[in-house]
Amino acid sequence: MPVLLLVRHGRTAANTGGVLAGRTPGVALDETGRSQVAALARRLAPLLLVRVVASPLQRCQETAAALLAVDGPDGAPRPELVTDEGLSECDYGDWTGRPISELTKEPLWGAVQAHPSSVVFPGGESMRGMQQRALDAVRRVDAEVAAAHGPDAVWAAVSHGDVIKAVLADALGVHLDGFQRIVVDPASVSVVRYTPLRPFAVRTNDTGGDVTSLLPPPPKPDQDADQHTAAASDAVIGGGAGGGR
């Protein structure tokens, strides 16, 4: 099954300034954020990305553009950027643009931390709704990628911290109420594979690791396509040697 790279946008001034940017327009990468995504683009160069999909917000568009500016293996060109509203930041409604130091004093803050599945942001969306529309988006695109490019394709979704955490929680079989235990840093890569039986969380919050282990393994001469598909859903008993799919 395809490999999905969940890429969080690079750092912004809102991140360092302690402001909940949300869907505020015009939030760009800061100097550190631009350096982060340039380094990430170079790190992903060994991977042939067949599709790159991004949130419509500026910080994600800039991150995706940086990834697409570096050719793939053997100079392979990158695909055109696709924008998908399903990957957009959570709509924090009336909380948007406010300092985190203020928001921690709101009665709703405790529920955001401990019981996010119950949270509907005033004037915004629910966290359950955020998770569902993000999952709908990545599952749909993943199926399209598999149909168009085969089971060994690699694609990237560029999105936001809470959105990626919610997708990872689902992949890990963790209830949304546990998603605050997951850390997703700026310009990090988390990796998920969706198989017919279950998702696999291959990596989380990778900010510097080697990506060549994500390349497809060589085909086994004694294994047909149906066997390969079935095996992709199986977890290796004992943990395996790593690197292979």
Side-chain angles (χ1 to χ4, degrees):
M1 295 293 103
V3 172
L4 163 59
L5 310 181
L6 293 164
V7 177
R8 186 183 172 195
H9 62 79
R11 200 184 78 173
T12 71
N15 296 143
T16 57
V19 173
L20 185 62
R23 295 185 177 183
T24 303
V27 177
L29 302 181
D30 64 14
E31 183 176 354
T32 295
R34 291 190 293 273
S35 296
Q36 288 173 333
V37 299
L40 176 59
R42 293 190 295 270
R43 191 155 66 90
L44 296 183
L47 302 180
L48 183 66
L49 300 178
V50 300
R51 193 173 301 188
V52 175
V53 185
S55 157
L57 294 174
Q58 181 175 337
R59 53 199 184 273
C60 288
Q61 293 283 307
E62 290 177 349
T63 298
L67 301 185
L68 294 171
V70 176
D71 289 342
D74 299 321
R78 294 307 199 190
E80 294 292 322
L81 175 61
V82 177
T83 299
D84 195 313
E85 293 282 349
L87 297 177
S88 191
E89 178 65 287
C90 184
D91 184 354
Y92 297 113
D94 297 345
W95 281 30
T96 302
R98 294 179 58 190
I100 299 295
S101 58
E102 285 184 6
L103 296 174
T104 59
K105 301 170 185 174
E106 293 281 351
L108 189 61
W109 182 263
V112 171
Q113 297 301 310
H115 193 30
S117 66
S118 70
V119 170
V120 180
F121 289 100
E125 72 178 327
S126 69
M127 300 197 85
R128 286 185 296 108
M130 171 199 71
Q131 182 185 47
Q132 190 59 60
R133 48 105 168 150
L135 287 171
D136 288 347
V138 298
R139 291 275 195 166
R140 169 176 46 80
V141 177
D142 196 73
E144 293 171 358
V145 167
H149 301 283
D152 292 325
V154 181
W155 67 284
V158 183
S159 191
H160 307 267
D162 279 353
V163 176
I164 294 173
K165 285 164 59 176
V167 173
L168 286 172
D170 172 78
L172 290 163
V174 174
H175 193 278
L176 184 60
D177 288 345
F179 99 129
Q180 299 291 25
R181 302 182 183 195
I182 300 170
V183 175
V184 174
D185 291 324
S188 65
V189 179
S190 299
V191 182
V192 174
R193 277 196 307 118
Y194 293 103
T195 77
L197 183 60
R198 61 166 70 87
F200 285 98
V202 180
R203 297 190 186 190
T204 62
N205 200 37
D206 180 350
T207 57
D210 177 39
V211 299
T212 56
S213 65
L214 300 175
L215 294 169
K220 297 179 180 179
D222 59 344
Q223 186 180 63
D224 62 28
D226 290 340
Q227 289 174 320
H228 176 79
T229 299
S233 295
D234 293 338
V236 179
I237 302 300
R245 291 189 281 137

